[in-house]
Amino acid sequence: REMLDNGLMEASNLSHNRLISEKSPYLLQHAANPVDWYPWGAEAFETAERENKPIFLSIGYSTCHWCHVMAHESFENPEVAQLMNRTFVSIKVDREERPDIDAVYMTACQMLTGSGGWPLTIIMTPGKKPFFAGTYIPRTSRYGRMGMMELAPRIDDLWKTRRVELSATADKITESLDKESRTAPEDLGSSIEDDAFRQLVLAFDEVYGGFSKAPKFPLPHNILFLLRYWKRTGDGKALEMAVKTLSMMRMGGIYDHIGYGFHRYSTDATWLTPHFEKMLYDQALLAMAYTEAYQATGEKSFADTAREILSYCLLDMVDADGGFYSAEDADSEGVEGKFYTWTLEKLETVLGKTEAAFISTVFNANKNGNYHEEPTGQTTGANILHLASPRDADTEYGDLDRIENARKILFAVREKRVRPHRDDKVLTDWNGLMVAALSKAAQALGDEPYAHAAQRAADFLLKAMRKDGRLLHRYCDGEAAVTGTLDDYAFFVWGLIDLYETNFETRYLQAALELNGALLRHFGDEAGNGFFFTADFGEKLISRRKEFYDGAIPAGNSVAMLNIARLARITGDAGLEEKAFALCRAFAPHVNAHPAGYTMFLCGFDFATGTTTEIVVACTKPDDAKKMVANIRSLYMPNKVVLLKSEGDASLISIAGFAEGMKSQDGKPAAYICRNCKCDVPVTDVDKITESLNQGEK
């Protein structure tokens, strides 16, 4: 933000458009454009109505590579800007700041073109109804893609001569948007989890892992589902696919081997060449996947990877108040990947020839380079560091201390480079995921700093982003704003539940219940068929969407169902159980059609309908139960809830009344283990708690 502010000051001799008053880093990137941009709001729509112009809606985000390309080609070009200003009222939207707007118009784009992505380009009536959609549009036409210089005059002519047809098209698209969100509930197939697993097997890349060819996305919720499927069925293929995918991603160029953390996705099938931007939600979800894989397998490399991801976030992505920033760009100095790649010459300059030769062997760097320019495919001499085999002591490069020493040197040198732009928005939903990831890691790895970081982030959100019991979505430059979406509530509740199970502070469980209650009141439809993405008190758009599909990020409906099922077991509230089952039926028309597209939902379904374990650890004081709790956490048991009841703590009883009679035994902590609506005799032998839990899993 400091660099952005300085850039705007240097451009003070330029006339700024209305975006100069916005907080979003993406909108501020366009504040000096010659395009007469408006932010989304009444002024833009009133102007379009008054001047009888269509609206040019451009949606993107500040770390989007192709958004930058289109901006440099077109929005910074005076000739294009003149055409746009004459033809349209132009609106810029940050899709991360207004995911509700993005969801509506991205669906319209997919309906009209069969695909989507960012930058998203929509042309619509002053009444917000779309009649044209596209993504990246070059300045002039090429490769069969119409350019801005041709598109604007074409739309101007159609608007003036065929308005009735355009309006009719816009009405039909809007009607289709409404229908697309309305489905009647039905029963899920009896073998729905098996069906999803079989689809993943068919899609699985046996050589490189993952579930597609190119481009290849991490999709951590596929891993979470496979681990649960393996746990429930014992099918070794599920575990094999999860382990293979996680191992290959960690070895590939999609992973930042010098500064840690994952890039957005791989442009090839081998995980070598990434799209270099880093998103907070990817870090959070992948940290969860590696943490759970460590619990399931005991593989140290998975624990190490989870720690590395979180160390990147805690070093580069956290602000002074404990919230986490949104993303880092792929580009620096106008070149994608420049910050992250290395020439052999540079490695030799930094490390010396001997160490450079060793590191080049370990990380597969060579003189010609392995990073190819697009679209020419020519080599650049730049190398994306990656591994050909796991980095452990059993490999031919087994000198891990030597590798780590070189990594630290390269990291220090890289820190002096011009860094990619960092989007410093703090988003409630993505921070909720980070709270969950940090909490899970703290439990499984026993690292107390992660628990502290999770608590700081949660406290920041509860203080800055909750107003009158409702959540706000975005915090930026000291301002909290934008009405919270379903994802904000669902993801933050997820984090709060996991945080409670980390530090057992009942206030976080109470906050989770309160926010879940607000979600139930304000996001559900009257028929009970799932949750809308926007609240009933939010801005009314042309369509009130429901999102079910687990895409790059799990759907808010999927996470909400898992939360509700967990809270039902924590509180003993049968009403919440019924709501979880109702959500299963609401999802069914979508899930039955393509089960593998709903793996996060199936994690919630597995919890709601499978065998869960409720554990109440009763103790005189919390410190007495530390070893017992640690032993419980050493097991991979994704479908469990854990409560800690210490003497004199009435706050837990007000939430989980069934635990009132559960007490320590003869001054020793006692674990009350319940499954399938029945409880076993309390276990007081700390060393036998894992044995008792394992017996129940058989």
Side-chain angles (χ1 to χ4, degrees), residues 173 229 372-373 599 631:
I173 294 168
Y229 188 85
H372 302 277
E373 286 184 344
T599 49
N631 286 354

Side-chain angles (χ1 to χ4, degrees), residues 18 52 83 90 152 167 169 217 307 399 410 416 448 459 464 494 561 666:
R18 293 165 183 81
N52 192 24
L83 269 178
S90 298
S167 296
T169 298
F217 288 79
R307 288 189 175 100
D399 192 341
L410 293 175
K416 297 175 183 177
E448 188 62 30
D459 287 345
W494 184 4
M561 187 179 74
D666 299 324

Side-chain angles (χ1 to χ4, degrees), residues 324-353:
F324 288 87
Y325 302 132
S326 297
E328 286 196 299
D329 208 333
D331 301 8
S332 58
E333 301 181 81
V335 179
E336 183 176 8
K338 184 173 183 179
F339 181 77
Y340 297 103
T341 56
W342 299 83
T343 64
L344 187 59
E345 181 182 13
K346 186 64 176 178
L347 290 174
E348 290 176 349
T349 300
V350 172
L351 298 173
K353 286 198 171 186

Side-chain angles (χ1 to χ4, degrees), residues 390-428:
R391 196 192 77 177
D392 59 49
D394 295 328
T395 70
E396 58 185 300
Y397 331 117
D399 192 341
L400 300 186
D401 289 339
R402 187 179 178 187
I403 296 171
E404 178 60 13
N405 182 61
R407 185 200 69 82
K408 288 178 178 177
I409 293 171
L410 293 175
F411 178 79
V413 170
R414 199 180 77 173
E415 284 294 282
K416 297 175 183 177
R417 295 177 178 176
V418 176
R419 193 176 188 91
H421 158 71
R422 182 175 61 196
D423 189 316
D424 62 358
K425 295 192 308 294
V426 175
L427 301 176
T428 299

